Structures are given as structure tokens and as C-alpha cells.
Amino acid sequence: ALVGPVVLPILGAVPDSMIILFSGMGDDAQEKLNVGVGALAGSTVMLLTIPWFLVILFGRVDLDENGHGSYKSKNKNVNFPGLYPL
């Protein structure tokens, strides 16, 4: 019961804090810190975008004639109509 709420956030925060800490060291600390914060922001955006895209892609369902989700699959094969060009 401690892994999810305690260990995983610490494992996620340690690399981020190390990026900020080590990017602020040296002669031109302001410029390095800007690069470190930019890299941190970019990685955060990427880590939010990839799961969002996968949820949208694999969580799609067909709609019935009333506009409600039809969760019964006609075939069990993964098919992505409209994803690949004809």
C-alpha cells in the first residue's frame, strides 16, 4: 500500500529535482537553469501527451443509432479505420 502513494512519486520527483539542481551549477547558472527547466517542462508535456493519445486511440467505441456507446465488439481483431491512408 506504500508503493503507489509514496514510492512512485518520489521516483518521479528525484530525476526532476536532479535536473534542476545540476543545471543550476557552474559559471553561467542562469542560462543552464533555463535549459534545465525547459527540459523538465518538455518531458512533463510529453509524459502527459503520450498516455492521452493512447487512451483516445484504444478507448474508442462505435456509436449505435441512438448515439450511445456500443461496447460489444463485432470482431476481436484490432482495427484502426481512418488511421491509415487508403
Side-chain angles (χ1 to χ4, degrees):
L2 289 176
V3 173
V6 176
V7 175
L8 292 179
I10 290 173
L11 288 176
V14 168
D16 295 343
S17 61
M18 291 298 117
I19 289 172
I20 299 298
L21 177 67
F22 289 118
S23 67
M25 295 180 170
D27 297 333
D28 54 346
Q30 183 65 42
E31 182 64 30
K32 289 182 180 178
L33 193 60
N34 287 341
V35 171
V37 171
L40 179 62
S43 67
T44 302
V45 168
M46 182 190 69
L47 289 173
L48 290 173
T49 303
I50 291 174
W52 174 81
F53 171 74
L54 292 174
V55 165
I56 296 298
L57 182 65
F58 291 110
R60 301 184 295 174
V61 295
D62 292 329
L63 299 178
D64 61 9
E65 44 287 332
N66 296 327
H68 299 290
S70 175
Y71 295 101
K72 294 182 181 180
S73 178
K74 293 178 183 148
N75 57 4
K76 295 295 180 186
N77 297 333
V78 177
N79 188 9
F80 300 111
L83 188 61
Y84 302 110
L86 296 176

